[in-house]
């Protein structure tokens, strides 16, 4: 049985209330494609039965599975390349001029971890002489299953082939059956934790660099503005904000100045 208009609206509402993610009309195929596997796994009658369960108990483990299945986790190592070049050639060397301060980088909405691991690999490769506590990387996401994968550090050959420079593989990964496991020395450079961007942000120290890429596109403009406002308070004055290519800090141009770092989608928080 395919999705009814009511079922679709219930999923739209559930997703919006729990993650702020908007699901546009016409995306019924996405709900069917992503939730059918849960129907089989949980031995439910059909999608309608699954959505009824979610409506009855939106906080259950089953509802969490539904939420996670509806989120888009697309990512890759060194995605868009330019942000990482900019960090390596300009931003990290500039921040290192202050010997006393810890450099803090936040990868918000880190999905399966390729973004924060790219940051950690860049540091291990190009700044190996820096003592590890000097640079701290925090990576967060709303999805418990994505965070579990991040912590495992396990990637398939297909995931490795998407963006990882080939010479990093023997240096920083080891074989784990049919997959590759990122070495502990790299995993230890990152603190992974749950954070819903739509809720209060707790326990974040002032950041020098925030990567929040390819997630604001899923939110409506009010939520996006509220998140940009919170980033303004988390970033140190003069700190750097990286958005996804094509994303812009609409309404916040006064605070986030465009930089001339090529095509990096990098903005600098203005000094007060
Ligand atoms: C397309 S991925 C982006 C991954 C990475 N930043 C990149 O650019 O490659 C979007 C991520 O946003 C996360 N996400 C969606 N809504 C969220 C929310 N309200 N709070 C935190 N993370 C969220 C999803 O779980 C998913 O992992």
């Amino acid at each position: 049985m395919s999705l009814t208009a009511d079922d679709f609206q219930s999923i739209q509402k559930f997703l919006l209330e729990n993650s702020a993610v908007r699901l546009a009309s016409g995306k019924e195929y996405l709900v069917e494609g992503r939730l059918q596997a849960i129907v089989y796994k949980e031995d439910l009658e059909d999608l309608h039965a699954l959505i009824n369960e979610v409506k009855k108990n939106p906080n259950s483990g089953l509802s969490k599975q539904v939420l996670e299945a509806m989120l888009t986790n697309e990512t890759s190592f060194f995605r868009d390349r330019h942000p990482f070049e900019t960090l390596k050639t300009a931003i990290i060397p500039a921040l290192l001029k202050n010997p006393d301060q810890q450099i803090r980088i936040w990868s918000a909405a880190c999905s399966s971890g390729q973004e924060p691991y790219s940051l950690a690999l860049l540091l291990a490769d190009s700044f190996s002489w820096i003592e590890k506590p000097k640079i701290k990387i925090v990576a967060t996401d709303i999805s418990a299953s994505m965070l579990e994968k991040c912590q495992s550090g396990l990637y398939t050959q297909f995931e490795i082939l998407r963006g990882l420079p080939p010479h990093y593989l023997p240096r920083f990964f080891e074989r784990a059956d049919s997959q590759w496991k990122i070495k502990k020395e790299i995993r230890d450079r990152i603190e992974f934790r749950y954070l819903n961007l739509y809720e209060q942000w707790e326990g974040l120290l002032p950041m020098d660099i925030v990567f929040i890429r390819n997630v604001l596109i899923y939110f409506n403009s009010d939520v996006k503005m509220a998140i940009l406002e919170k980033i303004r308070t988390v970033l140190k004055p003069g700190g750097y904000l990286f958005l996804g290519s094509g994303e812009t800090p609409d309404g916040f141009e006064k605070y986030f100045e465009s930089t001339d770092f090529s095509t990096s989608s990098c903005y600098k928080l203005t000094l007060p």
Side-chain angles (χ1 to χ4, degrees), residues 19 72-75 79 109 111 141 195-197 213-215:
S19 66
T72 300
N73 300 312
E74 168 62 19
T75 189
R79 186 172 189 175
S111 185
D141 202 276
L195 187 141
N196 182 348
L197 292 165
R213 303 191 305 149
N214 306 300
V215 64

Side-chain angles (χ1 to χ4, degrees), residues 4-101:
T4 65
D6 270 2
D7 289 338
F8 183 66
Q9 276 167 19
S10 302
I11 287 294
Q12 277 180 312
K13 184 167 172 283
F14 171 71
L15 205 55
L16 196 63
E17 285 175 356
N18 289 280
S19 66
V21 168
R22 273 178 307 133
L23 189 62
S25 326
K27 296 271 169 108
E28 287 80 356
Y29 68 93
L30 208 67
V31 177
E32 288 175 356
R34 292 185 177 180
L35 299 189
Q36 197 60 55
I38 303 179
V39 172
Y40 291 135
K41 189 171 137 243
E42 299 295 330
D43 205 14
L44 292 162
E45 201 173 315
D46 53 20
L47 274 173
H48 182 67
L50 174 64
I51 293 167
N52 261 346
E53 288 299 322
V54 171
K55 280 202 302 206
K56 266 196 266 162
N57 194 350
N59 297 318
S60 67
L62 185 65
S63 298
K64 286 213 174 75
Q65 280 187 58
V66 167
L67 179 70
E68 299 205 357
M70 286 312 304
L71 299 172
T72 300
N73 300 312
E74 168 62 19
T75 189
S76 54
F77 286 103
F78 294 90
R79 186 172 189 175
D80 302 334
R81 217 168 33 83
H82 301 286
F84 301 94
E85 275 306 309
T86 299
L87 282 184
K88 180 173 145 181
T89 56
I91 297 179
I92 302 275
L95 291 171
L96 284 172
K97 288 193 180 134
N98 183 342
D100 306 324
Q101 264 191 24

Side-chain angles (χ1 to χ4, degrees), residues 213-230:
R213 303 191 305 149
N214 306 300
V215 64
L216 295 179
I217 40 167
Y218 298 106
F219 304 142
N220 67 32
S221 68
D222 288 356
V223 173
K224 190 177 153 185
M225 302 270 272
I227 291 174
L228 286 168
E229 178 59 39
K230 286 198 273 185

Side-chain angles (χ1 to χ4, degrees), residues 230-250:
K230 286 198 273 185
I231 292 173
R232 208 158 76 78
T233 63
V234 161
L235 257 187
K236 294 182 194 169
Y240 293 93
L241 168 67
F242 283 88
L243 299 177
S245 60
E247 291 176 324
T248 48
D250 296 339

